[in-house]
Amino acid sequence: MPTLYVSDLDGTLLLPDGTLGERTVAVVNALIAAGGLFTYATARGYEASSRVTGQLRLELPVITYGGAVIVDPRSGVPRYAARVPGAAVAAVLRATDAASPVQPILFASHGGRDRVCWRPAHSTPSVESYLGRRADDPRLLPVTDWREIDPDQVFFYAVLGAHEPLRQLRETIADALDGCYVTLTEEIYARGEYWLEVGSLSGTKAAALDTVVAAAGADRVVCFGDNLNDLPMFEVADESLAVANALEEVIRRATAVIGANSAEGVASWLSEHALS
């Protein structure tokens, strides 16, 4: 019975510093070499995720942008992209005008590639913090006016800032979020900063799993995660494993809890249960 193993990256497969541990690289590559089925599902785009997973000999499609974009890791070519409903894009742009304490970042297809778009004239400390951690990211595309970006090409957006303004924003635009999957979580690499993330219901990790399961020929799924955007795939997996550092809600809804990402818990579990 072929089993597909799917892991989140940040906070789960990656160490707390955002890198892959040596044991994780060795175990995952041994699993793949033995004919095992492994891939990842991340909120990162492919450019960012491939930088940290370059040592893995991945063959199956990888799930990026929280499930919005599925990419062939051998070519880097997207196989599928789900778009955010236009009403949800328009609502957040209206609500985050120049006076707003929080500002969005749009992830969109533009000029034949995926782009990370923001308005420098209306940037906030949270947006600048995000950009500062990605200064060499080739996806970055500053815009003067949101009309430079086709709203129908947005596949994901995030609004960055303090928790309370983001909670209020979510309530303000709630009527426009039909057909969207929405989370409000703390940035694990910048405590005190929060992300209101909005994607399509057809672009969750769970929805993307259907495509990957078919490509892999699997009939069983085991997934690993730590954060709220992992819960959709927890709901459809046969076995869902939360790392010990996961959010309490994720731990409550997991089949079991394994070692923390700092101890390479996913690698330890795979070594014992998938390679033995």
Side-chain angles (χ1 to χ4, degrees):
M1 182 167 63
T3 297
L4 172 65
Y5 300 98
V6 185
S7 181
D8 172 55
L9 291 182
D10 295 287
T12 305
L13 192 68
L14 302 184
L15 294 168
D17 66 358
T19 64
L20 279 174
E22 292 183 5
R23 187 180 186 207
T24 296
V25 173
V27 168
V28 170
N29 283 341
L31 174 64
I32 295 171
L37 306 175
F38 181 90
T39 191
Y40 64 76
T42 180
R44 296 185 183 218
Y46 181 69
E47 296 246 11
S49 62
S50 62
R51 292 179 193 174
V52 295
T53 60
Q55 293 174 276
L56 303 181
R57 302 188 185 99
L58 299 166
E59 299 177 354
L60 295 175
V62 297
I63 298 168
T64 67
Y65 290 114
V69 181
I70 302 171
V71 180
D72 184 335
R74 294 166 294 189
S75 64
V77 175
R79 295 181 50 161
Y80 170 81
R83 311 298 183 190
V84 178
V89 177
V92 77
L93 298 187
R94 285 195 305 269
T96 54
D97 59 17
S100 175
V102 293
Q103 287 293 315
I105 296 176
L106 303 187
F107 299 81
S109 297
H110 181 81
R113 59 169 303 170
D114 59 311
R115 291 289 194 172
V116 179
C117 309
W118 81 103
R119 296 184 301 173
H122 304 290
S123 193
T124 65
S126 293
V127 171
E128 290 303 315
S129 175
Y130 169 86
L131 296 172
R133 297 190 297 273
R134 296 161 176 81
D136 60 345
D137 191 328
R139 298 173 302 160
L140 297 182
L141 179 66
V143 297
T144 302
D145 191 296
W146 286 127
R147 287 174 293 185
E148 298 172 41
I149 303 300
D150 182 350
D152 292 332
Q153 295 301 310
V154 175
F155 48 81
F156 178 82
Y157 69 74
V159 190
L160 283 58
H163 185 274
E164 184 56 21
L166 292 177
R167 185 195 65 77
Q168 293 178 9
L169 174 63
R170 181 174 59 184
E171 290 186 358
T172 298
I173 65 174
D175 290 345
L177 296 179
D178 288 345
C180 296
Y181 182 72
V182 184
T183 59
L184 175 55
T185 56
E186 189 175 20
E187 164 62 62
I188 67 171
Y189 298 122
R191 294 303 183 186
E193 293 183 9
Y194 287 81
W195 285 49
L196 176 64
E197 300 177 332
V198 177
S200 168
L201 282 176
S202 62
T204 65
K205 291 183 178 183
L209 265 180
D210 287 341
T211 298
V212 179
V213 166
D219 53 19
R220 185 169 180 272
V221 176
V222 175
C223 66
F224 307 86
D226 75 304
N227 215 327
L228 298 180
N229 66 357
D230 297 316
L231 291 178
M233 69 176 180
F234 272 34
E235 294 171 358
V236 300
D238 296 280
E239 193 169 355
S240 54
L241 305 173
V243 286
N245 54 285
L247 295 180
E248 284 300 321
E249 182 176 352
V250 177
I251 288 175
R252 286 196 303 269
R253 294 169 66 176
T255 305
V257 179
I258 64 173
N261 68 325
S262 59
E264 299 186 76
V266 174
S268 296
W269 191 94
L270 288 173
S271 180
E272 180 178 351
H273 295 88
L275 283 174
S276 58

